[in-house]
Amino acid sequence: MTKTARNTAAAAEDSFHKHYAAIWGSDRWETSLYPALARNTKYTAVLNRYAPSEEFWKAVDAAQIPREELERLELPDVGGAIQSPQFGPLCYTHKTNDDCHFPPPKAASSGLLTHWNLDAASALVASLLNAQPGERILDLCAAPGGKSVCISQSLFPALYADNAIATASSSGLLRSNEAEPRRQKRLMENIHSYVPRAANVQCLRVDGTSSTISGLVMPGGYDKILVDAPCSSERHIIHAQLKAKASGNAAPEMTNWRPGSSKRLAQTQLALLMTALKAVKVGGHVLYATCSLEPTENDGVLEKMLLQVEKDRKKGTVKWNVQLGFADDEKKTRMEEQLGKWAERTKYGWIVLPDHPGGGRWGPLFFGFITKSGNV
């Protein structure tokens, strides 16, 4: 790099660190949060329950990972209880080795891939949607598809390769949407690689921020919608910069970063969230999520959503309201006790961070739970 380029890159990185130190506190950013973000991303292996589980374990054996060193992650659900291993995604992590590298997924005898290596925070959010057989679910920003795969395993347990739940309904619907053509192509490939054709999964390509979203709308509305919105992805920026600096360069992701970019992203995120609220049925739920550290994109978007809904109600353009958080009863307390092992509270939601005292090293991942209520 030229001297000018080095100075520009150094100034951008310094601005980045000052910005997030101001948000999270200099001491935490410098001694805890940034070092945790700079470490390699930790993954969990999410079994594909539509493929024989023993084929996953054979891949683990081939990678010379002792089976007894793996443990199943306990995922809390909206009901406040630990999710039953009979139903939904099964996630495995190494008991002691934070940097355990799970083998890449392999094609099982069924032709479907054995597992997906995923940050457990993503599996957590997918499980919190609490999809049930027979429900109609929309994953609004689905690429590359890991959360959709997790959701599908809650929707279609009758199709499990092992211990299929024969009494479960197979009439549910999952719509996985991605607006960007290349990402949507990858999404379709992944869905076809993990989910049986017998499952009612549709891959869409609709711009969720557009005023014309007829391709997403469903009569009667969806039961639940996941909005995993595009965001600043600071951990990606950090990793890209560390890799570039190791070879004497600067990552474009860092040199192009600006503090004000979150405001522009928040406009897109709000538009996506409002689309979801219009498309979900009254009594249904929307789970908003980002992998950003930036409050503007997290609590800030939920706050703007509340203001927008109230404005629209006063104008009479909407006849419904929203409520934030989980059920207001004794289940809520149990739910929050379980979430406390993964995440910390924010003003309107929760955020999973890799320096959490629980030691999971997952995230970052912010999420807020929204219920669409009647005209109250």
Side-chain angles (χ1 to χ4, degrees):
M1 289 192 296
T2 65
K3 183 178 180 180
T4 300
R6 283 197 301 272
N7 290 340
T8 299
E13 187 172 5
D14 184 58
S15 177
F16 180 92
H17 283 283
K18 286 181 178 178
H19 179 77
Y20 288 102
I23 292 172
W24 295 99
S26 296
D27 184 61
R28 181 178 183 183
W29 179 255
E30 294 169 7
T31 65
S32 176
L33 185 51
Y34 174 73
L37 291 164
R39 291 185 66 179
N40 291 333
T41 301
K42 181 181 176 183
Y43 291 102
T44 184
V46 182
L47 271 65
N48 184 7
R49 304 192 73 168
Y50 304 125
S53 60
E54 188 54 34
E55 300 197 33
F56 162 75
W57 291 110
K58 288 179 180 177
V60 168
D61 294 341
Q64 299 183 328
I65 302 173
R67 297 189 185 192
E68 63 271 15
E69 293 184 7
L70 301 185
E71 62 181 350
R72 185 176 66 85
L73 280 177
E74 295 179 337
L75 297 173
D77 64 25
V78 176
I82 296 299
Q83 193 170 54
S84 167
Q86 181 189 25
F87 183 73
L90 289 180
C91 304
Y92 285 88
T93 187
H94 202 282
K95 292 178 182 178
T96 58
N97 181 4
D98 277 356
D99 293 313
C100 174
H101 294 287
F102 287 101
K106 297 182 180 297
S109 55
S110 62
L112 299 175
L113 295 181
T114 51
H115 63 288
W116 189 305
N117 295 330
L118 189 70
D119 186 315
S122 295
L124 169 69
V125 164
S127 71
L128 289 176
L129 200 62
N130 199 29
Q132 301 292 316
E135 289 184 332
R136 302 186 299 184
I137 310 290
L138 171 64
D139 188 352
L140 185 57
C141 310
K147 295 182 184 69
S148 279
V149 168
C150 290
I151 293 167
S152 79
Q153 295 187 28
S154 294
L155 274 179
F156 309 110
L159 300 176
Y160 288 171
D162 303 334
N163 305 317
I165 303 176
T167 57
S169 170
S170 59
S171 62
L173 168 66
L174 172 61
R175 283 182 162 177
S176 297
N177 179 69
E178 176 57 49
E180 202 279 318
R182 290 186 181 179
R183 287 172 56 82
Q184 200 262 355
K185 181 181 178 183
R186 184 184 177 197
L187 170 65
M188 290 182 63
E189 291 170 348
N190 284 332
I191 293 295
H192 292 156
S193 295
Y194 282 89
V195 183
R197 297 300 174 97
N200 191 9
V201 180
Q202 301 173 2
C203 292
L204 309 179
R205 197 179 83 198
V206 180
D207 181 358
T209 66
S210 173
S211 58
T212 56
I213 55 169
S214 57
L216 291 175
V217 174
M218 170 168 287
Y222 296 93
D223 295 284
K224 292 158 185 170
I225 298 177
L226 174 62
V227 184
D228 182 20
C231 66
S232 291
S233 301
E234 292 92 347
R235 193 169 196 176
H236 170 74
I237 296 173
I238 290 168
H239 285 191
Q241 177 67 355
L242 289 171
K243 183 178 180 180
K245 285 179 73 173
S247 57
N249 297 308
E253 292 91 338
M254 181 63 79
T255 56
N256 293 332
W257 177 85
R258 299 290 184 275
S261 61
S262 283
K263 293 182 180 179
R264 293 189 294 273
L265 277 168
Q267 295 175 349
T268 298
Q269 292 158 346
L270 177 62
L272 290 166
L273 182 53
M274 294 306 298
T275 290
L277 288 171
K278 293 170 185 174
V280 76
K281 71 181 185 181
V282 172
H285 307 292
V286 174
L287 193 58
Y288 173 76
T290 80
C291 58
S292 177
L293 301 169
E294 176 60 66
T296 303
E297 301 177 42
N298 298 336
D299 281 332
V301 169
L302 294 182
E303 189 165 90
K304 287 182 178 179
M305 176 273 296
L306 292 172
L307 293 172
Q308 185 65 52
V309 170
E310 183 60 27
K311 179 180 178 181
D312 292 344
R313 280 168 52 79
K314 288 180 178 179
K315 289 166 48 179
T317 55
V318 302
K319 305 296 183 183
W320 42 266
N321 207 343
V322 293
Q323 296 176 337
L324 290 177
F326 298 98
D328 188 18
D329 54 22
E330 63 180 79
K331 292 182 180 180
K332 177 181 178 180
T333 301
R334 295 199 301 270
M335 178 69 193
E336 294 193 348
E337 287 176 355
Q338 292 298 326
L339 282 178
K341 299 175 183 178
W342 288 75
E344 57 193 77
R345 286 300 306 263
T346 67
K347 184 176 181 179
Y348 295 116
W350 295 78
I351 189 165
V352 181
L353 293 169
D355 68 340
H356 188 276
R361 277 191 54 210
W362 314 116
L365 206 148
F366 169 86
F367 58 90
F369 194 80
I370 307 161
T371 300
K372 183 176 178 178
S373 58
N375 190 19
V376 294

